[in-house]
Amino acid sequence: MLDRLLELSNNIGVDTLLLLPVLIALEAILSADNAIALAAIAQGLESEKLQRNALNLGLVVAFLLRVGLILTAKWVLQYWQFEVMGAAYLLWLVYQHFMTDSTDAESSHHGPRFTTVWQAIPTIALTDLAFSLDSVTTAIALSRDIFVVLLGGMIGIITLRFMAGLFIRWLDEYEHLEDAGFATVAFVGVRLLLRVVNPDWVPPEWIMISFIAVLFTWGFSKRIEVTTADGAAASLPEGEAERGAHDIDNAEKDAEEASQSDVEFVEQP
């Protein structure tokens, strides 16, 4: 599909800058799984401020790595070992998500934990680089103009930052969303491996987009239920799930402290 678009643009003499919206749209659609992976990695930090800082700095480093990949794409793509390493890294992230238990009883986070922003930055940057091995090839196929590809990559990084920020919030609100995201990460990893084994086996982009759409429909299909004070289960409105659980915990602590105070008062002579 994308190859036909490129052929059509060459035949009718369309300016390559007209392909920029296509590159941006393609980057946004195909980066949904990337955004979920980065959001899940950032959740390994305790506070929202640290998570934001890790995404901001990590994606700056990721953009620099993307620029290097784009400038050396013809050389990099000659060596299948790079794609195998990228696929292995992505599939390792998937294995880590589905096969390891949460380290925190109060959180469903399956990824690595970080104590500082600087520990998370390399993981974020390398994860985006692994995804870029798949998306940069598509961008190069669309346009031979390096400036257009670089500009599309820069806007793609900005789009990815906002998407990852949204997914950090949504991962706490939708039960299946993280699983759906990592299922698409596995699909990208398998695509990279198929490209090494036999490029003819790589499914076309429309199949990948359809697959992502189906998985994300499932991912957003069920909100996380929070038990209310009367024991009933309720799905809180968007943005309220985490606050609701926090309020319940605070209420239980207050009740326990009040009970202990009453006991101490009664025991006094």
Side-chain angles (χ1 to χ4, degrees):
M1 179 178 66
L2 298 177
D3 293 338
R4 291 179 181 177
L5 176 60
L6 179 62
E7 181 181 356
L8 176 62
S9 65
N10 289 334
N11 289 339
I12 63 177
V14 177
D15 188 350
T16 52
L17 285 176
L18 295 179
L19 290 176
L20 185 58
V22 179
L23 290 174
I24 297 171
L26 181 67
E27 185 74 31
I29 295 173
L30 298 183
S31 292
D33 47 2
N34 190 355
I36 281 193
L38 298 185
I41 291 170
Q43 280 192 322
L45 291 163
E46 292 184 358
S47 69
E48 293 183 3
K49 180 180 179 181
L50 292 177
Q51 292 171 8
R52 289 194 301 268
N53 291 339
L55 285 175
N56 291 335
L57 296 175
L59 288 176
V60 169
V61 178
F63 175 68
L64 296 177
L65 293 178
R66 280 199 190 195
V67 170
L69 178 60
I70 291 171
L71 295 178
T72 60
K74 292 182 179 180
W75 176 79
V76 169
L77 296 178
Q78 291 177 356
Y79 298 92
W80 55 268
Q81 290 88 347
F82 288 106
E83 292 180 298
V84 170
M85 287 189 294
Y89 179 76
L90 293 178
L91 294 176
W92 174 77
L93 288 178
V94 174
Y95 172 83
Q96 187 179 45
H97 171 73
F98 285 106
M99 302 304 294
T100 60
D101 295 328
S102 173
T103 57
D104 187 351
E106 298 181 357
S107 172
S108 60
H109 179 71
H110 293 268
R113 293 285 181 179
F114 307 104
T115 56
T116 67
V117 169
W118 301 108
Q119 292 177 342
I121 288 175
T123 305
I124 291 173
L126 289 176
T127 300
D128 181 76
L129 182 63
F131 276 97
S132 296
L133 287 171
D134 183 63
S135 61
V136 165
T137 302
T138 302
I140 294 295
L142 270 174
S143 176
R144 305 298 176 181
D145 191 330
I146 296 297
F147 171 76
V148 175
V149 178
L150 288 173
L151 185 57
M154 181 181 68
I155 298 177
I157 283 286
I158 296 173
T159 303
L160 182 60
R161 169 61 185 88
F162 284 104
M163 291 177 64
L166 288 174
F167 278 119
I168 285 180
R169 184 183 67 185
W170 290 337
L171 287 175
D172 292 327
E173 297 177 2
Y174 294 94
E175 183 173 342
H176 304 304
L177 184 58
E178 191 169 359
D179 290 342
F182 277 93
T184 62
V185 172
F187 185 66
V188 173
V190 171
R191 268 172 57 95
L192 287 173
L193 288 179
L194 289 177
R195 184 179 297 159
V196 172
V197 176
N198 188 342
D200 294 334
W201 293 352
V202 178
E205 284 76 12
W206 69 267
I207 291 181
M208 183 173 184
I209 293 173
S210 300
F211 181 74
I212 291 175
V214 171
L215 280 175
F216 275 74
T217 299
W218 171 66
F220 284 104
S221 64
K222 184 178 180 181
R223 288 183 180 274
I224 295 176
E225 293 184 345
V226 178
T227 303
T228 59
D230 58 359
S235 296
L236 295 182
E238 189 170 314
E240 295 293 331
E242 186 175 358
R243 280 198 300 272
H246 182 69
D247 291 343
I248 291 174
D249 290 340
N250 287 340
E252 291 176 349
K253 290 179 182 179
D254 292 341
E256 184 177 353
E257 292 174 358
S259 176
Q260 291 176 353
S261 299
D262 292 342
V263 171
E264 293 176 357
F265 177 77
V266 171
E267 291 179 350
Q268 290 180 356

